[in-house]
Structures are given as structure tokens and as C-alpha cells.
Amino acid sequence: MEMNLSPVISAPPSQLLTGSPVMEIAPKTPKSPFSSRLMSTPIASPVKKAIESMQYYLEEVGQFTKLDPQEAWLPITESRNGNSYYAAFHTLSSGIGFQALVLPLALTTLGWTWGILCLFLVFMWQLYTLWLLIQLHESESGMRYSRYLRLSMAAFGEKLGKLLALFPIMYLSGGTCVTLIMIGGGTMKILFQILCEDQCNLKPLTTIEWYLCFTTLAILLAQLPNLNSIAEVSLIGAITAISYCTLIWVVSIIKGRPDGVSYHLPPTESRFEMARLCNVLNALGIIAFAFRGHNLVLEIQGTMPSSIKHPSRVPMWRGVKFSYLIIAMCLFPLAVGGYWAYGNLIPENGGMLTALYKYHGHNTSKALLGLVCLFIVMNSLSSFQIYAMPVFDNLELRYTSKMDRPCPRWLRSGFRIFFGCLAFFISVALPFLPSLAGLIGGIALPLTLAYPCFMWISLKKPSKYGAIWCLNCLLGVLGMVLGFLVTAGAIWTIATMGIDLHFFKPQ
């Protein structure tokens, strides 16, 4: 007599892959006494062993990470085949930027000893907070926080998390893209002047037209679908950033110091004069802003596969350590070598690049100067892609949440064209926006130096008054105070020195 036996299914395969372990799901499925007795018989033992083996395999591989199905539709987490090399490329491309060229300005206010000491301390501080974010990416419950805003909401609550992190994140993404259009378009104009000089009969483009050229190239590159797909672009951006930073400080040292170089600190009537204090705060802000990219580290880590046995924090930290070794090898010589070469003569606008053209443009080959400009343009284009990705992700999140389906390809392209045009419009309408960088940057500074420390205390819950608890509390409070002081100093500077407001007149 044949019996048609069917094994009891404790959970659908999707739950086995992304939900809780089998033994936790099984009781939710109603079982008859017959099926319970049947699973304990010798006939059903192979099925039982198979289920136990599958559970053991899944626990070993670690596929019990909780994943939102919507994650597979969004550009940041659409592809999860990243690795430590990709992490290094993205970190280098986002971590080294044009803001590093003004680092010598900080030393003109702080001097040799305090300038180098502050540079080292801030470097170690932001590297520590970067490590905290990497460790917080995966929670003990299996949840992955692939966006800074979601981690902030998990640590501080939904309302407070949004209040603290939403504006700084949007500024660091959108505001950086606007600044990159200004820098990239302006550098393309300089490159054209170097290559053409008076030998070309072509009518030179206006600044707005150069901005439009840069934006068009950036929008074309932005059609790459997700964060992993721009890894090669980030590699090019990293190579060009390292190249132009190294070329500028090496050429500046080889060419020698111009006449009139001085390293004396600017005289002040009083040691605690307000103007002097604002200059010191501005110098600290320049150093802090030179190390950027904390708002992207969770997004980069979100592109990696993760499991209990092979968590993503291991390859991510490996890639970050390598990239920050390179960043240190670029930024420290740039700051020290630039200050040695130009001293107090370093221009406030443009920093090292402007100094190179001003003092050594006449005795430096056009090919070398043009190469530096080309590298800056290429790095700006690649940095635009990685900083714009959180904006693209947020736009598509709104669509997928409402429609419950992936964003069509034509709409995805439309979102990216829209953002590129919006960033271009802002760069033309508000060309004085970089003058407000100190003010808005002071508001965004806790995102790098303070919030990760408080997030660690909130989520990891270290023993109160222990060494780790005290360290994170101290760094968190110092980060908040520094952000407040930098903002206050920027407001004071704007109030006393004023700001040149020229709408729709980029120069």
C-alpha cells in the first residue's frame, strides 16, 4: 500500500534566506498531530536531516541578515558584489578633493607646531569615528544600515535622527556637487586658456558655458546604474587626485620659495582678540573639512556582501586603512610642503593651485600646468558621481516606496538629469555659495566628529563610565563644541567682513 507523503514546510525559501532561523519560524506554521509524528519516523528522517543541514549551512554562511526587498531596487544597494578594492577606490575618490589645496592656509594661522599637531589629531579623530561607523553598519539583530540617515534614526530615534542628520547629509551631497561644478567648470576654463593662449582664433566660452560643459559630462557619467558600477570611475578619480596633489607640492618645493616668504604669525593687539580667535577657528575648520566622506562610508559598505562568518566590516576596514594611508601621504606633505614653499603668501582663494600659477606660472611648462588642471577636472567629475549617489538613491526611494516596484530606466535617467540641472542652476544663481562653506560646514562638522561617538554609546551600550564610554562621550562633546565654535566664527567673520552677494554672475 503506497502512501502519498508530503514533507511539512516550516517556512518559504525567502524566509529561510532572509528571515529568522528555521526553528524560530516553524512554530508559526500549524502542524497536525499526524505530521508531527510523521516527522519523527524513520521515513521522514532524511527530510528532517536535510532541513537541519540547511539550517546549519545557512548559519555558517550567515544569510540570516535582514534585508529589505526594496534595497535591491535602489542604486546604492542594488549591487552587493563590492570588495575591499572597490571600497578603497570610492574612499580615495571621495576623501581627497580640492579642499585639500587650502590646507597650508591653516598653518599660516596656527604656525608650524600647532598646525601639524592639530592636523595629526584631527586625522586620528576622524579615522576613529570612521571605524565606529564601519562597526555600526551591521547590528546584532542582523539589520544593515546602508545609509547614514537610517543609522542616525536607529540611534537617536526617528524624529531626532532626521533633525540632526538630514540637512548635513543633503548639504554634503548636494552642496558638494554644486561646488564641484564651480571647481570643474572654472578649471576647464583655465585649461582652455593654458592650451590656447593667444594662438587660437576660437571665441572663448563664458564661465556659465564652462559650467554647462562640466554638468553635461557629469550627467552622462551619472547614467551608470549603481554605486558598484562607478568603481572604475572612482579609481580614475583616486589616481588623478593623488597625482595633482603630489605634482603641486613637489613642483612648489622644486621651484623654490618666492621672495618675501615669512612664517611669522599675524600680529594681534591682544592674545584673546576676537579676530584672532575667529582665525584660529577658521583654521581648525579648514583642517576638519579636509577629511571628508563620512556621510558616504555606510553607503560604500552597503555595496558589499555580508554574512555572520564573513561580515562586511572586515574588507571595508581593510580598504579604508589602505586608502587613508594614501590620503595621509597626500595631505600631510601638501600642507607642510605648501606652507614651506609659500608661507604667509599662500592665497586665500584657490590655495596651492593659485599660488603655483601666481609665483611659478612663468617658469613652469604649459604641459605640466595643463596636466594638473586636467587631473582636477577628472577628479571633480568622478567625485560628483559618488557624492550625487545618495541624492539619486533618495529620489528613487520616494518612487519605490509609493509604487512598490523598481524605478523604470527612463525615470532613473530623468531623476539624474533633473538633479544635474538643479545643481547647475544653483551654481550659476549662487556663485557666492563657497563663501558660506564655513557657516554651513560648521553645522555639518558633527556628522564627522561627534555623531558616530554618540551612536556607538546608544547602540552598543558600553559599560557606563568605562574607558570606551568616557572616550566617546569626550570626543562627542568636543565635536559638538567645535562645530558650534566654527559656525559662530563663520557668522562673526561674515558680520564683520561682509560677503559679496552677486546672483547669476559667476566669475
Side-chain angles (χ1 to χ4, degrees), residues 255-393:
K255 294 295 181 180
R257 292 177 292 183
D259 297 333
V261 171
S262 172
Y263 306 109
H264 297 294
L265 297 179
T268 56
E269 297 179 0
S270 173
R271 183 178 180 86
F272 300 99
E273 187 180 1
M274 190 63 187
R276 171 65 176 166
L277 177 61
C278 289
N279 289 335
V280 171
L281 293 175
N282 184 55
L284 293 176
I286 289 173
I287 293 175
F289 301 152
F291 303 104
R292 61 182 190 175
H294 280 57
N295 60 307
L296 297 171
V297 63
L298 294 174
E299 285 80 352
I300 296 171
Q301 192 173 353
T303 64
M304 295 182 173
S306 184
S307 65
I308 296 175
K309 192 173 182 179
H310 302 287
S312 63
R313 63 177 177 269
V314 176
M316 182 65 189
W317 181 238
R318 190 184 305 126
V320 166
K321 285 191 296 184
F322 171 78
S323 60
Y324 266 80
L325 176 63
I326 302 298
I327 290 173
M329 293 171 63
C330 288
L331 267 55
F332 278 85
L334 189 66
V336 176
Y339 185 52
W340 178 89
Y342 303 109
N344 290 338
L345 297 179
I346 191 80
E348 293 186 4
N349 186 16
M352 288 286 289
L353 183 63
T354 303
L356 179 65
Y357 283 107
K358 182 177 180 180
Y359 300 111
H360 301 299
H362 62 283
N363 60 355
T364 304
S365 66
K366 287 199 307 180
L368 184 59
L369 295 176
L371 190 62
V372 170
C373 288
L374 180 62
F375 285 160
I376 291 175
V377 172
M378 295 174 67
N379 173 253
S380 299
L381 283 170
S382 64
S383 296
F384 185 96
Q385 308 309 313
I386 190 168
Y387 275 96
M389 196 60 70
V391 181
F392 301 156
D393 188 86

Side-chain angles (χ1 to χ4, degrees), residues 87 91-92 94-95 122-137 148 151 291-301 313 316-317 319-325 327 447-453 456 472 475:
T91 305
L92 281 170
S94 61
V122 172
F123 175 79
M124 297 304 297
W125 186 354
Q126 58 85 36
L127 188 61
Y128 171 70
T129 57
L130 197 62
W131 178 82
L132 292 180
L133 290 175
I134 292 172
Q135 301 302 312
L136 291 173
H137 175 80
Y148 196 106
L151 179 61
F291 303 104
R292 61 182 190 175
H294 280 57
N295 60 307
L296 297 171
V297 63
L298 294 174
E299 285 80 352
I300 296 171
Q301 192 173 353
R313 63 177 177 269
M316 182 65 189
W317 181 238
V320 166
K321 285 191 296 184
F322 171 78
S323 60
Y324 266 80
L325 176 63
I327 290 173
L447 202 77
T448 298
L449 300 180
Y451 294 166
C453 301
W456 181 272
N472 284 299
L475 292 179

